[in-house]
């Protein structure tokens, strides 16, 4: 039986090769399994995995000491740390290579393999990177992946990524404690909800080591504020392709983001733990650092606005020496090891990246809304700035980045808020669901029920789908709000709850329902204007 070793990204600068044998051995499309896929418990870590006990790696006081009569020697220079994935510890057993084939994605890895473990150099196979090839093939579908995450035109998608070592963004080497669990709710608090979308990609070992329940509990505030937790096995590549900015560390996901030209901010980077000659270490020298305790919005905007598309060209060149050819190269190598010819006339193919399910943000944390009604040139507009808030330590962060003179404020609360007391003081109460959901619908019945139960609420909003919601005013008007499609005919993906808050501001500003019905309303979020039609639904049949 032949063994095949795929060199990990942290040293080699090319990942996604685990499981590549399954992909490339498939004779044709449909036979190939997804490269990089791992079994549910693969690489599983115990909750403290990756952490070192206080004396881990330490030597006892007399370890290695020489007796007085052996003579004095000047202290020897410390031995260099083993190269992750390329050292003899990884590749040899009893001085002989473990594998019949050591798969590398680029010749620079071969040079370092020869230096770190020359005994294994003869097993090297240069075969590109199937994970990177799947990303490259899917780049034309970027807009689809953005829409799947509910990212509207004019919104910026910020993807936060962590690998699984103690020095990672989710690790505990930082003297200030774990950075990521505090960074994510700050992103939700500082970034206006309709101008930004936040998503997190965590290494599978983080999920397996601590358990999904613990991870969701740690990130609960950020999730309620609208953070998307991306599937760490299937959908992280799509999120990278869709991203406008990636905040990451020394893991392969961040490296891939740089390689495809995305702006990168490094929130953590344990440079001393990496091979200084590796492409990943070079990324650490090239990419700007996140200042975690300064304003996040300004840093994200600067990273996006001042990004040079060629900044990480060198990193991209070191991902693969054979872009687009990994499946063919791997299959050739594997069939050669088996000793049988490849299937004639059947190309080696990789599965395309799947289109993720539509998953827009749904905020169950209370949302503070600033609004301003303008009437310039006879065309009334309502500017809306929404931010999630939960009275946590970051709930007021970022509110002062606009001059609030002339802005009105109100609170919008999801009916499923964990704090029912918030519903008593909500100006707007929101629910998302299908219009024909027998548990709570139809919208006409639900809106009437909510206004009857909460006398302080001015507007009840039932969001029934992209660009659509049914609202009932305190005055009893039942209205259907429908966003007009864009110039390309695609629907407006702005959260309909923002349109409802704009209608609330419209009515609070002295405008009438009849005016809104006659001419519709224009909602402004950031630099984007959304035309919204307002129709009466006196029969309660709004969907």
């Amino acid at each position: 039986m032949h063994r095949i070793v795929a060199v990990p990204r942290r040293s080699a600068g090319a990942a996604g090769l685990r499981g590549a044998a399954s992909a490339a051995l498939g004779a044709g499309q449909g036979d190939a399994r997804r490269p990089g896929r791992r079994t549910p418990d693969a690489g599983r870590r115990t909750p403290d995995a990756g952490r070192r006990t206080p004396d881990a790696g330490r030597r006892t006081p007399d370890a290695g000491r020489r007796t007085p009569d052996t003579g004095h020697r000047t202290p020897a220079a410390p031995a260099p740390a083993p190269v992750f994935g390329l050292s003899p510890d990884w590749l040899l057993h009893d001085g002989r290579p473990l594998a019949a084939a050591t798969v590398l994605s680029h010749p620079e890895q071969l040079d370092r393999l020869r230096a770190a473990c020359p005994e294994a150099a003869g097993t090297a196979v240069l075969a590109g990177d199937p994970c990177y090839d799947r990303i490259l093939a899917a780049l034309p579908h970027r807009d689809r992946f953005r829409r799947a995450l509910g990212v509207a035109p004019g919104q910026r998608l910020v993807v936060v990524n962590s690998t699984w070592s103690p020095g990672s963004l989710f690790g505990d080497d930082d003297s200030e404690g774990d950075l990521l669990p505090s960074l994510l709710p700050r992103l939700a608090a500082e970034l206006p909800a309709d101008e930004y979308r936040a998503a997190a990609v965590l290494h599978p070992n983080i999920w397996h080591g601590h358990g999904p329940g613990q991870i969701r509990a740690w990130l609960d505030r950020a999730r309620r504020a609208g953070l998307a937790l991306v599937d760490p096995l299937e959908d992280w590549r799509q999120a990278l392709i869709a991203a406008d900015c990636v905040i990451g560390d020394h893991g392969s996901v961040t490296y891939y983001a740089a390689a495809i030209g995305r702006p990168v901010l490094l929130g953590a980077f344990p440079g001393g733990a990496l091979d200084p000659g590796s492409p990943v270490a070079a990324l650490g020298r090239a990419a700007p650092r996140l200042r975690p305790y300064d304003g996040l919005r300004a840093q994200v905007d600067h990273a996006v606005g001042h990004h040079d598309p060629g900044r990480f060209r060198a990193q991209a060149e070191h991902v693969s020496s054979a872009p687009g050819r990994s499946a063919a190269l791997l299959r050739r190598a594997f069939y050669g090891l088996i000793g049988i010819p490849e299937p004639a006339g059947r190309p080696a193919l990789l599965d395309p990246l799947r289109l993720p399910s539509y998953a827009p943000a749904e905020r169950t944390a209370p949302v503070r809304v600033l609004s301003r009604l303008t009437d310039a040139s006879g065309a009334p507009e309502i500017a809306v700035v929404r931010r999630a808030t939960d009275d946590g330590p970051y709930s007021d962060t970022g509110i002062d980045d606009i001059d609030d003179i002339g802005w009105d404020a109100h609170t919008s609360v999801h009916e499923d808020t964990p704090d029912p007391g918030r519903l008593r003081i909500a100006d707007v109460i929101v629910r998302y669901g299908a219009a024909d959901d027998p548990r709570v619908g139809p919208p006409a019945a639900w809106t009437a029920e909510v206004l009857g139960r909460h006398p302080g609420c001015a507007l009840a909003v039932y969001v029934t789908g992209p660009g659509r919601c049914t609202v009932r005013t305190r005055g009893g008007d039942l209205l259907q709000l429908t966003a007009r499609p864009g110039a390309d005919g695609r629907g407006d993906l702005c959260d309909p709850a923002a349109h409802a808050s704009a209608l609330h501001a419209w009515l609070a500003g002295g405008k009438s329902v009849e005016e809104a019905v006659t001419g519709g309303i224009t909602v402004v979020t950031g630099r984007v204007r959304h035309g919204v039609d307002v129709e009466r639904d006196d029969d309660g049949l709004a969907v």
Side-chain angles (χ1 to χ4, degrees):
M1 178 180 293
H2 295 291
R3 278 201 179 105
I4 300 168
V5 171
V7 176
R9 145 95 41 213
R10 232 185 296 174
S11 72
L17 294 174
R18 294 184 183 90
S22 300
L25 280 172
Q29 190 172 22
D31 299 326
R33 297 186 180 184
R34 288 183 178 88
R37 184 154 191 171
R38 306 175 69 184
T39 56
D41 62 343
R44 189 162 188 162
R45 301 173 67 203
T46 56
D48 62 344
R51 303 178 67 177
R52 301 181 67 185
T53 56
D55 63 343
R58 299 178 67 179
R59 304 178 69 185
T60 56
D62 64 341
R65 297 181 68 179
R66 306 182 68 190
T67 56
D69 60 354
T70 57
H72 294 287
R73 298 179 63 185
T74 55
V83 178
F84 185 83
L86 292 177
S87 69
D89 290 346
W90 279 77
L91 300 176
L92 302 182
H93 178 66
D94 291 337
R96 299 176 61 185
L98 280 167
T102 302
V103 178
L104 306 175
S105 67
H106 195 278
E108 70 85 19
Q109 298 166 22
L110 180 56
D111 293 339
R112 290 191 294 115
L113 175 63
R114 287 171 175 150
C117 186
E119 299 89 340
T123 68
V125 175
L126 287 172
D129 184 342
C131 180
Y132 188 55
D133 285 354
R134 295 177 75 202
I135 292 174
L136 294 178
L139 289 177
H141 303 311
R142 181 171 188 255
D143 287 345
R144 296 181 185 179
F145 299 149
R146 290 172 66 82
R147 289 193 293 270
L149 283 165
V151 180
Q155 271 189 310
R156 284 178 170 171
L157 174 62
V158 180
V159 173
V160 182
N161 161 247
S162 178
T163 190
W164 59 284
S165 76
S168 70
L169 195 55
F170 203 83
D172 57 5
D173 272 1
D174 191 286
S175 60
E176 302 293 332
D178 294 351
L179 177 61
L180 190 63
S182 63
L183 179 66
L184 293 175
R186 280 189 59 212
L187 281 172
E190 294 188 33
L191 303 183
D194 302 304
E195 300 171 49
Y196 298 84
R197 177 84 162 103
V201 175
L202 306 181
H203 193 284
N205 282 358
I206 295 176
W207 288 93
H208 292 313
H210 299 290
Q214 181 64 77
I215 296 300
R216 291 190 172 91
W218 280 334
L219 304 183
D220 180 63
R221 283 186 21 245
R223 291 171 57 230
R224 289 190 287 108
L227 174 77
L229 281 179
V230 178
D231 185 309
L233 296 178
E234 295 291 347
D235 296 340
W236 63 268
R237 303 168 188 84
Q238 295 89 319
L240 285 193
I241 292 170
D244 292 291
C245 180
V246 174
I247 299 174
D249 53 24
H250 61 295
S252 60
V253 174
T254 304
Y255 193 96
Y256 281 128
I260 62 173
R262 300 297 175 259
V264 167
L265 289 170
L266 295 177
F269 203 86
L274 303 173
D275 177 0
S278 69
V280 176
L283 173 64
R285 296 187 289 268
R289 295 299 198 269
L290 179 77
R291 302 182 304 278
Y293 304 109
D294 290 348
L296 299 176
R297 182 180 184 181
Q299 294 184 72
V300 169
D301 288 349
H302 185 272
V304 175
H306 293 79
H307 179 61
D308 176 4
R311 180 171 197 162
F312 304 123
R313 184 175 293 113
Q315 282 69 41
E317 291 173 352
H318 281 94
V319 175
S320 172
S321 60
R325 297 172 52 215
S326 64
L329 292 173
L330 286 166
R331 191 175 73 172
R332 182 183 308 160
F334 299 149
Y335 273 85
L337 289 172
I338 297 171
I340 61 176
E342 295 183 69
R346 301 185 68 183
L349 302 175
L350 300 172
D351 283 354
L353 298 185
R354 71 179 186 182
L355 181 62
S357 300
Y358 179 58
E362 183 174 333
R363 296 170 180 85
T364 57
V367 176
R368 182 183 179 187
V369 185
L370 299 181
S371 61
R372 182 166 61 187
L373 179 63
T374 62
D375 203 356
S377 304
E381 295 181 344
I382 312 100
V384 172
V385 179
R386 303 189 307 146
R387 286 185 174 91
T389 177
D390 62 357
D391 286 340
Y394 317 110
S395 58
D396 291 329
T397 306
I399 295 297
D400 296 332
D401 65 356
I402 61 174
D403 183 356
D404 61 1
I405 297 176
W407 292 78
D408 296 312
H410 68 267
T411 301
S412 174
V413 181
H414 196 294
E415 189 185 30
D416 290 339
T417 177
D419 182 1
R422 290 299 194 106
L423 296 172
R424 293 195 295 271
I425 60 173
D427 301 291
V428 177
I429 295 178
V430 181
R431 168 165 285 282
Y432 297 75
D436 60 354
D437 186 338
R439 300 169 298 170
V440 292
W446 178 85
T447 54
E449 175 187 328
V450 165
L451 291 181
R453 183 181 298 130
H454 303 286
C457 176
L459 201 71
V461 183
Y462 193 115
V463 176
T464 55
R468 301 191 310 277
C469 64
T470 299
V471 304
R472 188 183 293 272
T473 69
R474 178 54 64 183
D477 297 288
L478 186 64
L479 306 169
Q480 173 78 359
L481 274 57
T482 306
R484 298 165 194 154
D488 60 358
R490 298 189 185 278
D492 189 335
L493 295 185
C494 179
D495 186 351
H499 305 158
S501 279
L503 179 65
H504 172 76
W506 172 278
L507 299 176
K511 296 288 187 178
S512 69
V513 168
E514 209 54 51
E515 289 177 276
V517 170
T518 300
I521 60 175
T522 299
V523 183
V524 181
T525 58
R527 300 180 180 180
V528 180
R529 284 170 168 75
H530 312 267
V532 180
D533 293 323
V534 181
E535 301 175 89
R536 289 189 179 277
D537 187 25
D538 296 329
D539 297 327
L541 299 177
V543 293

